[in-house]
Amino acid sequence: ATGSRQLKITGNDGSTATTWIDGDSSANLTFKGNLSSSSATSTNPIVALTNTNTDANGSILRFIKDAGEAGAANDISGLISFYADDAGENNQEFARIQGNVIDATAGGEEGSLDFHVAEYDGTLTKGMSITGLSSDGNITVDISTHDGSAGGLKLGGTLVTATAAELNLLDGSIV
């Protein structure tokens, strides 16, 4: 491969992975397996995607679910998990952002983006879901845990205590 450079990564067990990187400005790196980085420095490691093009478009972080077969409802297209140690030094998942397939029908695709957070006993609970609907241009935003007394939608730091039916009445809508 003319103009290419070989990248060799050696694991702790002595195994190696080798890939080729094209030497031009649009270099692509393909790596199969898990990739991790650790640092003892505050706020590191950092994953930075920098686009230096002068147009209006920025970098893209793309999660691809491609199993080599037709997609289906309830497929998870990608997720971001946020972990930290609790007071007992147990590594705990405190939050998650998850992309989902709602309808995989070609030409009628619908998805959702769910936001989960740890509550009370460390259980991850979906707090909000943004979901595409089967009508063009329509989505819903659902505050999943809204109970009007302990949790749910806050406006300006104040918990909304009304139910959706009560808000609809205040708005003049017929329930």
PDB file of all heavy atoms in Angstrom, residues 126-151:
ATOM      1  N   LYS A 126     -35.834   5.370  33.424  1.00  0.00           N
ATOM      2  CA  LYS A 126     -36.048   6.285  32.304  1.00  0.00           C
ATOM      3  C   LYS A 126     -36.835   7.488  32.806  1.00  0.00           C
ATOM      4  O   LYS A 126     -37.935   7.349  33.327  1.00  0.00           O
ATOM      5  CB  LYS A 126     -36.790   5.588  31.170  1.00  0.00           C
ATOM      6  CG  LYS A 126     -37.037   6.503  29.975  1.00  0.00           C
ATOM      7  CD  LYS A 126     -37.541   5.796  28.740  1.00  0.00           C
ATOM      8  CE  LYS A 126     -38.751   4.966  28.971  1.00  0.00           C
ATOM      9  NZ  LYS A 126     -39.306   4.393  27.741  1.00  0.00           N
ATOM     10  N   GLY A 127     -36.261   8.667  32.665  1.00  0.00           N
ATOM     11  CA  GLY A 127     -36.915   9.887  33.109  1.00  0.00           C
ATOM     12  C   GLY A 127     -37.555  10.652  31.978  1.00  0.00           C
ATOM     13  O   GLY A 127     -38.549  11.350  32.175  1.00  0.00           O
ATOM     14  N   MET A 128     -36.981  10.528  30.766  1.00  0.00           N
ATOM     15  CA  MET A 128     -37.526  11.253  29.634  1.00  0.00           C
ATOM     16  C   MET A 128     -37.293  10.458  28.356  1.00  0.00           C
ATOM     17  O   MET A 128     -36.254   9.832  28.196  1.00  0.00           O
ATOM     18  CB  MET A 128     -36.872  12.632  29.500  1.00  0.00           C
ATOM     19  CG  MET A 128     -37.475  13.474  28.389  1.00  0.00           C
ATOM     20  SD  MET A 128     -36.840  15.161  28.321  1.00  0.00           S
ATOM     21  CE  MET A 128     -35.199  14.908  27.695  1.00  0.00           C
ATOM     22  N   SER A 129     -38.277  10.521  27.481  1.00  0.00           N
ATOM     23  CA  SER A 129     -38.167   9.852  26.188  1.00  0.00           C
ATOM     24  C   SER A 129     -38.662  10.808  25.105  1.00  0.00           C
ATOM     25  O   SER A 129     -39.729  11.405  25.243  1.00  0.00           O
ATOM     26  CB  SER A 129     -39.010   8.570  26.177  1.00  0.00           C
ATOM     27  OG  SER A 129     -38.868   7.906  24.948  1.00  0.00           O
ATOM     28  N   ILE A 130     -37.880  10.956  24.051  1.00  0.00           N
ATOM     29  CA  ILE A 130     -38.283  11.724  22.873  1.00  0.00           C
ATOM     30  C   ILE A 130     -38.530  10.692  21.784  1.00  0.00           C
ATOM     31  O   ILE A 130     -37.628   9.931  21.434  1.00  0.00           O
ATOM     32  CB  ILE A 130     -37.186  12.717  22.450  1.00  0.00           C
ATOM     33  CG1 ILE A 130     -36.831  13.652  23.616  1.00  0.00           C
ATOM     34  CG2 ILE A 130     -37.620  13.503  21.218  1.00  0.00           C
ATOM     35  CD1 ILE A 130     -35.614  14.512  23.366  1.00  0.00           C
ATOM     36  N   THR A 131     -39.762  10.639  21.276  1.00  0.00           N
ATOM     37  CA  THR A 131     -40.156   9.555  20.374  1.00  0.00           C
ATOM     38  C   THR A 131     -40.766  10.104  19.089  1.00  0.00           C
ATOM     39  O   THR A 131     -41.647  10.965  19.131  1.00  0.00           O
ATOM     40  CB  THR A 131     -41.181   8.629  21.068  1.00  0.00           C
ATOM     41  OG1 THR A 131     -40.601   8.148  22.279  1.00  0.00           O
ATOM     42  CG2 THR A 131     -41.545   7.446  20.179  1.00  0.00           C
ATOM     43  N   GLY A 132     -40.300   9.569  17.957  1.00  0.00           N
ATOM     44  CA  GLY A 132     -40.896   9.900  16.671  1.00  0.00           C
ATOM     45  C   GLY A 132     -42.210   9.157  16.496  1.00  0.00           C
ATOM     46  O   GLY A 132     -42.347   8.010  16.912  1.00  0.00           O
ATOM     47  N   LEU A 133     -43.180   9.826  15.887  1.00  0.00           N
ATOM     48  CA  LEU A 133     -44.504   9.236  15.691  1.00  0.00           C
ATOM     49  C   LEU A 133     -44.697   8.825  14.241  1.00  0.00           C
ATOM     50  O   LEU A 133     -43.906   9.141  13.371  1.00  0.00           O
ATOM     51  CB  LEU A 133     -45.583  10.235  16.109  1.00  0.00           C
ATOM     52  CG  LEU A 133     -45.493  10.727  17.556  1.00  0.00           C
ATOM     53  CD1 LEU A 133     -46.576  11.757  17.830  1.00  0.00           C
ATOM     54  CD2 LEU A 133     -45.577   9.569  18.526  1.00  0.00           C
ATOM     55  N   SER A 134     -45.794   8.140  13.982  1.00  0.00           N
ATOM     56  CA  SER A 134     -46.062   7.633  12.640  1.00  0.00           C
ATOM     57  C   SER A 134     -46.670   8.690  11.721  1.00  0.00           C
ATOM     58  O   SER A 134     -47.036   8.389  10.596  1.00  0.00           O
ATOM     59  CB  SER A 134     -46.986   6.408  12.712  1.00  0.00           C
ATOM     60  OG  SER A 134     -48.209   6.758  13.326  1.00  0.00           O
ATOM     61  N   SER A 135     -46.760   9.936  12.182  1.00  0.00           N
ATOM     62  CA  SER A 135     -47.220  11.029  11.324  1.00  0.00           C
ATOM     63  C   SER A 135     -46.048  11.974  11.083  1.00  0.00           C
ATOM     64  O   SER A 135     -45.274  12.264  11.999  1.00  0.00           O
ATOM     65  CB  SER A 135     -48.398  11.759  11.970  1.00  0.00           C
ATOM     66  OG  SER A 135     -48.084  12.148  13.295  1.00  0.00           O
ATOM     67  N   ASP A 136     -45.891  12.440   9.855  1.00  0.00           N
ATOM     68  CA  ASP A 136     -44.739  13.217   9.435  1.00  0.00           C
ATOM     69  C   ASP A 136     -44.577  14.491  10.259  1.00  0.00           C
ATOM     70  O   ASP A 136     -45.512  15.261  10.437  1.00  0.00           O
ATOM     71  CB  ASP A 136     -44.867  13.574   7.948  1.00  0.00           C
ATOM     72  CG  ASP A 136     -43.583  14.123   7.387  1.00  0.00           C
ATOM     73  OD1 ASP A 136     -42.505  13.807   7.918  1.00  0.00           O
ATOM     74  OD2 ASP A 136     -43.648  14.881   6.394  1.00  0.00           O
ATOM     75  N   GLY A 137     -43.365  14.704  10.785  1.00  0.00           N
ATOM     76  CA  GLY A 137     -43.039  15.920  11.509  1.00  0.00           C
ATOM     77  C   GLY A 137     -43.478  15.941  12.956  1.00  0.00           C
ATOM     78  O   GLY A 137     -43.354  16.968  13.616  1.00  0.00           O
ATOM     79  N   ASN A 138     -43.973  14.832  13.494  1.00  0.00           N
ATOM     80  CA  ASN A 138     -44.476  14.815  14.863  1.00  0.00           C
ATOM     81  C   ASN A 138     -43.634  13.928  15.764  1.00  0.00           C
ATOM     82  O   ASN A 138     -43.246  12.827  15.386  1.00  0.00           O
ATOM     83  CB  ASN A 138     -45.923  14.329  14.896  1.00  0.00           C
ATOM     84  CG  ASN A 138     -46.857  15.322  14.236  1.00  0.00           C
ATOM     85  OD1 ASN A 138     -46.860  16.497  14.579  1.00  0.00           O
ATOM     86  ND2 ASN A 138     -47.629  14.855  13.284  1.00  0.00           N
ATOM     87  N   ILE A 139     -43.384  14.431  16.953  1.00  0.00           N
ATOM     88  CA  ILE A 139     -42.685  13.676  17.992  1.00  0.00           C
ATOM     89  C   ILE A 139     -43.399  13.931  19.316  1.00  0.00           C
ATOM     90  O   ILE A 139     -44.188  14.868  19.431  1.00  0.00           O
ATOM     91  CB  ILE A 139     -41.200  14.086  18.127  1.00  0.00           C
ATOM     92  CG1 ILE A 139     -41.075  15.550  18.561  1.00  0.00           C
ATOM     93  CG2 ILE A 139     -40.437  13.832  16.844  1.00  0.00           C
ATOM     94  CD1 ILE A 139     -39.687  15.936  19.022  1.00  0.00           C
ATOM     95  N   THR A 140     -43.107  13.096  20.309  1.00  0.00           N
ATOM     96  CA  THR A 140     -43.565  13.361  21.673  1.00  0.00           C
ATOM     97  C   THR A 140     -42.356  13.436  22.581  1.00  0.00           C
ATOM     98  O   THR A 140     -41.326  12.815  22.321  1.00  0.00           O
ATOM     99  CB  THR A 140     -44.513  12.252  22.197  1.00  0.00           C
ATOM    100  OG1 THR A 140     -43.820  10.997  22.192  1.00  0.00           O
ATOM    101  CG2 THR A 140     -45.767  12.152  21.359  1.00  0.00           C
ATOM    102  N   VAL A 141     -42.500  14.216  23.640  1.00  0.00           N
ATOM    103  CA  VAL A 141     -41.515  14.273  24.705  1.00  0.00           C
ATOM    104  C   VAL A 141     -42.246  13.848  25.965  1.00  0.00           C
ATOM    105  O   VAL A 141     -43.174  14.516  26.403  1.00  0.00           O
ATOM    106  CB  VAL A 141     -40.911  15.690  24.870  1.00  0.00           C
ATOM    107  CG1 VAL A 141     -39.917  15.713  26.019  1.00  0.00           C
ATOM    108  CG2 VAL A 141     -40.268  16.150  23.576  1.00  0.00           C
ATOM    109  N   ASP A 142     -41.852  12.712  26.515  1.00  0.00           N
ATOM    110  CA  ASP A 142     -42.550  12.139  27.661  1.00  0.00           C
ATOM    111  C   ASP A 142     -41.654  12.201  28.889  1.00  0.00           C
ATOM    112  O   ASP A 142     -40.547  11.670  28.883  1.00  0.00           O
ATOM    113  CB  ASP A 142     -42.924  10.684  27.354  1.00  0.00           C
ATOM    114  CG  ASP A 142     -43.717  10.021  28.472  1.00  0.00           C
ATOM    115  OD1 ASP A 142     -44.302  10.735  29.308  1.00  0.00           O
ATOM    116  OD2 ASP A 142     -43.745   8.779  28.501  1.00  0.00           O
ATOM    117  N   ILE A 143     -42.138  12.868  29.939  1.00  0.00           N
ATOM    118  CA  ILE A 143     -41.471  12.834  31.236  1.00  0.00           C
ATOM    119  C   ILE A 143     -42.045  11.613  31.938  1.00  0.00           C
ATOM    120  O   ILE A 143     -43.110  11.653  32.540  1.00  0.00           O
ATOM    121  CB  ILE A 143     -41.723  14.123  32.050  1.00  0.00           C
ATOM    122  CG1 ILE A 143     -41.381  15.366  31.234  1.00  0.00           C
ATOM    123  CG2 ILE A 143     -40.963  14.076  33.367  1.00  0.00           C
ATOM    124  CD1 ILE A 143     -39.941  15.493  30.820  1.00  0.00           C
ATOM    125  N   SER A 144     -41.334  10.501  31.805  1.00  0.00           N
ATOM    126  CA  SER A 144     -41.851   9.182  32.169  1.00  0.00           C
ATOM    127  C   SER A 144     -42.259   9.050  33.625  1.00  0.00           C
ATOM    128  O   SER A 144     -43.192   8.320  33.947  1.00  0.00           O
ATOM    129  CB  SER A 144     -40.799   8.110  31.870  1.00  0.00           C
ATOM    130  OG  SER A 144     -40.256   8.291  30.588  1.00  0.00           O
ATOM    131  N   THR A 145     -41.568   9.714  34.524  1.00  0.00           N
ATOM    132  CA  THR A 145     -41.801   9.508  35.958  1.00  0.00           C
ATOM    133  C   THR A 145     -42.626  10.619  36.592  1.00  0.00           C
ATOM    134  O   THR A 145     -42.696  10.710  37.816  1.00  0.00           O
ATOM    135  CB  THR A 145     -40.455   9.410  36.705  1.00  0.00           C
ATOM    136  OG1 THR A 145     -39.726  10.616  36.491  1.00  0.00           O
ATOM    137  CG2 THR A 145     -39.651   8.212  36.220  1.00  0.00           C
ATOM    138  N   HIS A 146     -43.265  11.467  35.799  1.00  0.00           N
ATOM    139  CA  HIS A 146     -44.023  12.590  36.368  1.00  0.00           C
ATOM    140  C   HIS A 146     -45.206  12.073  37.182  1.00  0.00           C
ATOM    141  O   HIS A 146     -46.082  11.398  36.661  1.00  0.00           O
ATOM    142  CB  HIS A 146     -44.531  13.536  35.281  1.00  0.00           C
ATOM    143  CG  HIS A 146     -45.234  14.732  35.845  1.00  0.00           C
ATOM    144  ND1 HIS A 146     -44.546  15.788  36.392  1.00  0.00           N
ATOM    145  CD2 HIS A 146     -46.542  15.023  35.984  1.00  0.00           C
ATOM    146  CE1 HIS A 146     -45.397  16.681  36.836  1.00  0.00           C
ATOM    147  NE2 HIS A 146     -46.622  16.242  36.600  1.00  0.00           N
ATOM    148  N   ASP A 147     -45.185  12.377  38.484  1.00  0.00           N
ATOM    149  CA  ASP A 147     -46.316  11.993  39.331  1.00  0.00           C
ATOM    150  C   ASP A 147     -46.935  13.204  40.021  1.00  0.00           C
ATOM    151  O   ASP A 147     -47.920  13.085  40.736  1.00  0.00           O
ATOM    152  CB  ASP A 147     -45.912  10.936  40.363  1.00  0.00           C
ATOM    153  CG  ASP A 147     -44.849  11.418  41.340  1.00  0.00           C
ATOM    154  OD1 ASP A 147     -44.561  12.639  41.399  1.00  0.00           O
ATOM    155  OD2 ASP A 147     -44.301  10.568  42.059  1.00  0.00           O
ATOM    156  N   GLY A 148     -46.346  14.390  39.820  1.00  0.00           N
ATOM    157  CA  GLY A 148     -46.914  15.612  40.360  1.00  0.00           C
ATOM    158  C   GLY A 148     -46.719  15.788  41.853  1.00  0.00           C
ATOM    159  O   GLY A 148     -47.168  16.774  42.422  1.00  0.00           O
ATOM    160  N   SER A 149     -46.061  14.846  42.529  1.00  0.00           N
ATOM    161  CA  SER A 149     -45.864  15.009  43.967  1.00  0.00           C
ATOM    162  C   SER A 149     -44.400  14.864  44.371  1.00  0.00           C
ATOM    163  O   SER A 149     -43.912  15.628  45.184  1.00  0.00           O
ATOM    164  CB  SER A 149     -46.724  14.019  44.751  1.00  0.00           C
ATOM    165  OG  SER A 149     -46.353  12.687  44.456  1.00  0.00           O
ATOM    166  N   ALA A 150     -43.708  13.896  43.825  1.00  0.00           N
ATOM    167  CA  ALA A 150     -42.315  13.683  44.216  1.00  0.00           C
ATOM    168  C   ALA A 150     -41.349  13.885  43.059  1.00  0.00           C
ATOM    169  O   ALA A 150     -40.219  14.311  43.258  1.00  0.00           O
ATOM    170  CB  ALA A 150     -42.138  12.272  44.785  1.00  0.00           C
ATOM    171  N   GLY A 151     -41.758  13.562  41.853  1.00  0.00           N
ATOM    172  CA  GLY A 151     -40.842  13.645  40.725  1.00  0.00           C
ATOM    173  C   GLY A 151     -41.553  14.010  39.447  1.00  0.00           C
ATOM    174  O   GLY A 151     -42.774  13.942  39.350  1.00  0.00           O
TER     175      GLY A 151
END
